[in-house]
């Protein structure tokens, strides 16, 4: 039997999205192959906060964000960097990004995001129960910490947007906050705790464990880089660094590289990379946090 006839669905990308997609397709009875230019569970799936963000309905572009752009660009550690050689090419994307921050567009985006994330913790618990991987996820409220209640009130628009889309939280006094999270700096004296969620203890380990379940279920993996993608009648031909792969269906789950592939199919997605912040502490002697913590200000 030829390789083409064996492969029903090929997924480009062996990160958390690609692997979860592969498992769902296998459960529906499909023959699935994953390909990636790296080993499984690399890239963003190897290092991230691990938070299962059931509250994550606020889009990146929000009303008034444009006023902060000059300050962001002046800060070398800020969230926005535009390389000089890419400025002109990026300009149309930036204009679309700013328009996406209009209030009505934000409301529509939040509703769409709520449909994706609201049940994500429940869904992940179903996955871990099915594959006996419960130890990877810790049930925990997510803490959003502030230096004062006044700082929290400055974020009122975002919190009202979350509330309108189903997010609930409990306010914590200074004493309650530090009793709940002793490792936290004394500089923080107000927080909200969002229940009904948790975090992944080891994002890379979790993704790899799911990948091994995919292989155990009969899935295939090939380490190769996709150079081109072309529909061919009822199939798709993937031109890779190790030769051509013909597949009946293709799923693109390649993270920041996805737009380069979809454009070859005539679907131009305005996707840009978001800077990540990832620090691993070796031989840390302090008190470890008990919860997933975010600081909207920082």
């Amino acid at each position: 039997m030829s390789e083409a006839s064996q492969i029903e669905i090929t997924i480009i990308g062996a990160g958390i999205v690609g692997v979860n997609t592969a498992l769902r397709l296998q459960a529906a009875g499909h023959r699935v192959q994953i390909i990636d230019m790296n080993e499984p569970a690399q890239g963003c799936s190897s290092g991230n906060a691990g938070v299962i963000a059931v509250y994550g309905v606020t889009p990146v572009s929000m009303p008034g964000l444009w006023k902060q752009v000059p300050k962001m660009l002046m800060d070398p550690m800020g969230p926005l960097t535009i390389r000089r050689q890419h400025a002109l090419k990026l300009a149309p994307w930036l204009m679309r990004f700013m328009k996406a921050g209009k209030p009505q567009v934000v409301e529509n985006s939040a509703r769409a995001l709520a449909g994706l994330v609201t049940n994500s913790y429940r869904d992940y618990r179903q996955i871990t129960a099915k594959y006996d991987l419960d130890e990877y996820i810790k049930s925990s409220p997510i803490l959003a910490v502030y230096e004062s209640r006044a700082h929290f009130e400055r974020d009122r628009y975002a919190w009202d947007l979350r509330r309108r889309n189903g997010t609930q939280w409990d306010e914590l006094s200074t004493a309650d906050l530090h009793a709940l999270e002793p490792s936290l700096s004394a500089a923080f004296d107000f927080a909200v705790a969002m229940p009904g969620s948790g975090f992944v203890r080891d994002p890379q380990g979790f993704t790899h464990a799911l990948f091994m379940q995919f292989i155990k279920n009969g899935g295939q993996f090939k380490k190769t880089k996709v150079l081109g993608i072309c529909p061919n009648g009822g199939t798709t031909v993937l031109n890779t660094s190790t030769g051509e792969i013909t597949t009946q269906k293709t799923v693109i789950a390649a993270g920041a590289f996805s737009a380069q592939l979809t454009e070859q199919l005539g679907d131009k997605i305005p996707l840009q990379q978001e800077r990540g912040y990832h620090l691993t502490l070796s031989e840390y002697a302090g008190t470890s946090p008990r919860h997933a913590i975010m600081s909207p200000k920082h």
Side-chain angles (χ1 to χ4, degrees), residues 24-236:
R24 289 297 295 269
L25 289 170
Q26 280 183 327
H30 299 286
R31 299 185 307 277
V32 186
Q33 172 180 252
I34 300 176
I35 61 176
D36 198 303
M37 61 182 176
N38 299 310
E39 295 295 333
Q42 301 300 309
C44 291
S45 294
S46 68
N48 56 73
V51 178
I52 302 176
V54 296
Y55 59 87
V57 301
T58 52
V60 178
S61 185
M62 294 278 278
L65 180 65
W66 63 272
K67 299 176 183 178
Q68 304 174 38
V69 168
K71 183 180 178 181
M72 291 178 184
L73 291 174
M74 294 296 291
D75 183 357
M77 294 301 294
L80 179 62
T81 298
I82 301 177
R83 295 183 178 90
R84 190 173 301 172
Q85 65 269 31
H86 296 157
L88 288 177
K89 183 179 179 181
L90 195 60
W93 180 89
L94 279 173
M95 292 300 295
R96 292 185 65 168
F97 180 75
M98 294 305 173
K99 289 180 180 178
K102 293 182 177 180
Q104 189 54 55
V105 179
V106 167
E107 292 287 344
N108 294 337
S109 296
R111 283 195 295 273
L113 287 167
L116 292 172
V117 305
T118 299
N119 295 318
S120 53
Y121 178 74
R122 179 205 66 188
D123 294 342
Y124 266 115
R125 276 304 187 191
Q126 291 176 352
I127 292 169
T128 59
K130 181 177 181 179
Y131 300 119
D132 195 23
L133 298 173
D134 284 335
E135 74 274 12
Y136 279 102
I137 293 182
K138 180 179 178 180
S139 297
S140 165
I142 309 301
L143 304 184
V145 299
Y146 290 88
E147 293 170 0
S148 70
R149 186 183 183 92
H151 285 93
F152 169 75
E153 292 298 338
R154 292 174 193 172
D155 274 350
R156 176 56 68 180
Y157 180 89
W159 287 104
D160 285 346
L161 186 65
R162 292 186 180 105
R163 190 188 296 279
R164 288 195 294 275
N165 287 278
T167 301
Q168 298 178 346
W169 63 84
D170 299 311
E171 295 185 1
L172 300 177
S173 66
T174 303
D176 290 341
L177 170 60
H178 290 279
L180 191 65
E181 190 52 82
S183 67
L184 194 65
S185 166
F188 298 102
D189 71 1
F190 181 83
V192 297
M194 293 170 282
S197 189
F199 61 89
V200 181
R201 299 174 185 271
D202 177 359
Q204 186 174 36
F206 181 48
T207 304
H208 193 265
L210 291 173
F211 172 79
M212 294 308 296
Q213 184 63 50
F214 162 74
I215 296 297
K216 182 180 178 180
N217 293 348
Q220 301 177 48
F221 173 73
K222 190 169 188 177
K223 184 179 177 181
T224 188
K225 182 177 182 179
V226 177
L227 305 174
I229 178 169
C230 181
N232 183 25
T235 62
T236 302

Side-chain angles (χ1 to χ4, degrees), residues 1-10 29-34 214 218-222 235 245-249:
M1 185 179 290
S2 69
E3 182 182 35
S5 61
Q6 292 178 351
I7 302 168
E8 183 181 353
I9 301 175
T10 297
H30 299 286
R31 299 185 307 277
V32 186
Q33 172 180 252
I34 300 176
F214 162 74
Q220 301 177 48
F221 173 73
K222 190 169 188 177
T235 62
I245 295 175
T246 300
T247 180
Q248 295 177 30
K249 302 288 184 181

